[in-house]
Amino acid sequence: KFKNTKFIYIDTSTLLYKLKALKVRVANLFGKHLNTYNECVLDEIKSDKYDYIIVEDGAFHSFRSYLKYFKKEQMILHFHHNGESDKYTDETFSRFVGVSGFVTDTFRNSSTIKKCEVLKNGINLDKFKKDVTTKEKEEIRKKLGFTKDDFVVIFCGRLIPEKGVLELIKAINMIDNEHIKLMIVEIGR
């Protein structure tokens, strides 16, 4: 089903993984920035040849150890959140890819990495199209506690400070209209 793809599974319940975790914990006491899972992945891929290593957010500081086996030019950092660069990031990665101009500009303004690009998240809307009758919409609104006169604002995302949900709640509370409603949908814990 997935052509030209190899899945590598890291079993975190093994004694070997737990010993690696202990080794990483001790190394981090001495100023290293390691991550047990990322070190296990490195053990699996270090003898293979790859054009690029694309790091998806997460513990991106822990990828400096990859430079023993891969060139900096092969290391790409892909951010889904807004954040700044630092010494470790600039020393590890040769390219940055952000999901928006804002994310990319924030990173670029704090980094020495010259190749900073935007690759917007995409979605095939055709996969989510569904015809819903007016009656079905009314039933859904009623089930969720909304009337047909309510104007519903939806927040859909992780409930973390960076997403701004607290500011949204405060803003909705400032509106003097009983038909303005806020629905919060938490995703991706």
Side-chain angles (χ1 to χ4, degrees):
K1 185 175 179 180
F2 297 97
K3 295 178 181 175
N4 303 314
T5 302
K6 177 183 173 185
F7 290 92
I8 300 170
Y9 295 95
I10 307 295
D11 187 349
T12 60
S13 67
T14 66
L15 178 61
L16 188 61
Y17 186 88
K18 290 174 177 149
L19 289 172
K20 175 77 76 179
L22 181 61
K23 179 182 171 187
V24 164
R25 187 174 286 172
V26 170
N28 287 343
L29 290 174
F30 294 96
K32 297 284 186 184
H33 293 274
L34 300 178
N35 172 282
T36 304
Y37 182 81
N38 291 345
E39 290 301 301
C40 288
V41 171
L42 179 59
D43 288 344
E44 292 285 336
I45 69 169
K46 65 186 176 189
S47 60
D48 296 332
K49 300 240 184 260
Y50 295 96
D51 295 325
Y52 297 100
I53 306 294
I54 302 173
V55 174
E56 296 290 337
D57 279 332
F60 55 91
H61 285 135
S62 66
F63 285 88
R64 285 184 73 191
S65 60
Y66 281 52
L67 295 175
K68 293 177 190 170
Y69 304 96
F70 302 100
K71 296 175 184 171
K72 180 179 177 177
E73 291 72 31
Q74 293 175 276
M75 302 294 291
I76 300 173
L77 180 57
H78 184 223
F79 262 21
H80 287 261
H81 72 280
N82 194 39
E84 296 183 345
S85 188
D86 58 26
K87 172 185 154 187
Y88 299 106
T89 307
D90 287 352
E91 290 174 357
T92 305
F93 299 96
S94 65
R95 178 177 275 171
F96 174 84
V97 179
V99 296
S100 70
F102 180 75
V103 166
T104 302
D105 288 344
T106 300
F107 184 88
R108 180 186 292 119
N109 292 335
S110 65
S111 179
T112 60
I113 296 173
K114 300 293 181 225
K115 294 180 181 178
C116 295
E117 304 164 69
V118 175
L119 178 61
K120 294 183 178 181
N121 286 335
I123 186 169
N124 181 349
L125 293 175
D126 291 334
K127 289 187 174 188
F128 298 94
K129 283 185 180 176
K130 181 181 177 186
D131 289 329
V132 182
T133 67
T134 304
K135 182 175 171 140
E136 289 174 316
K137 289 178 187 177
E138 289 173 3
E139 288 172 9
I140 292 169
R141 290 175 77 88
K142 186 176 181 181
K143 181 180 175 184
L144 294 172
F146 302 119
T147 69
K148 69 178 187 172
D149 295 327
D150 288 336
F151 181 89
V152 182
V153 177
I154 299 175
F155 171 90
C156 183
R158 292 178 292 145
L159 297 180
I160 58 173
E162 295 84 358
K163 296 292 184 183
V165 70
L166 182 60
E167 290 77 8
L168 178 59
I169 292 168
K170 289 176 181 176
I172 295 292
N173 283 335
M174 292 172 64
I175 299 172
D176 187 25
N177 182 332
E178 64 184 32
H179 290 290
I180 304 290
K181 304 289 173 83
L182 174 61
M183 181 168 75
I184 298 175
V185 180
E186 181 182 18
I187 60 167
R189 278 196 153 217

